[in-house]
């Protein structure tokens, strides 16, 4: 009986975790690159992406920097956002937004 109750509780906890984590994920369609840039990036890159951003770099290199981070010539270093919920498509949207700010 105790084993059955334990299994039921574990199943319930796993269900709650799955529901909560799924509810807080942002789909690519819901992703607001401008809002993320303003909250996470503007402090280091500036309002017009004028600092520490070279739009001429290959997109793949920039995506890797967003997802995995990049050590700069001097601090602050670029943190990786892949482990903070940003995926490849969202990184591309951020890069496109930054390019639009430079124009």
């Amino acid at each position: 009986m105790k084993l059955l109750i334990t299994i039921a509780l574990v199943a319930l906890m796993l269900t709650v975790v799955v529901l909560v984590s799924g509810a807080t994920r942002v789909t690519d369609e819901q992703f607001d690159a401008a809002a993320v840039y303003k909250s996470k990036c503007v402090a280091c890159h500036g309002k017009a992406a004028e600092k520490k951003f070279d739009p001429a770099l290959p997109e793949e290199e920039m995506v890797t920097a967003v997802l995995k981070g990049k050590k700069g010539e001097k601090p602050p270093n670029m943190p990786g956002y892949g482990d903070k919920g940003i995926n490849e498509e969202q990184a591309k949207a951020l890069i496109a937004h930054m390019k639009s700010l430079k124009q």
Side-chain angles (χ1 to χ4, degrees):
M1 186 68 166
K2 287 182 181 181
L3 179 61
L4 215 78
I5 292 172
T6 302
I7 291 172
L9 286 174
V10 169
L12 178 63
M13 289 172 35
L14 286 173
T15 302
V16 169
V17 167
V18 168
L19 290 175
V20 170
S21 67
T24 59
R25 292 191 184 194
V26 174
T27 65
D28 292 344
E29 294 80 29
Q30 296 170 319
F31 185 74
D32 185 352
V36 172
Y37 182 82
K38 187 175 181 180
S39 68
K40 306 282 186 206
C41 312
V42 75
C44 292
H45 291 291
K47 289 185 180 184
E50 70 272 12
K51 303 179 216 168
K52 298 185 177 192
F53 175 66
D54 181 0
L57 290 173
E59 185 176 74
E60 185 177 307
E61 186 176 329
M62 290 188 277
V63 168
T64 299
V66 172
L67 297 177
K68 296 184 179 181
K70 183 176 180 183
K71 188 168 183 160
E73 292 178 19
K74 59 182 181 176
N77 295 318
M78 171 78 184
Y81 287 94
D83 60 349
K84 296 175 184 168
I86 300 292
N87 66 34
E88 185 174 345
E89 290 305 312
Q90 293 167 344
K92 288 178 182 179
L94 277 170
I95 292 162
H97 178 69
M98 290 178 78
K99 287 179 178 181
S100 76
L101 292 173
K102 296 217 37 121
Q103 296 177 357

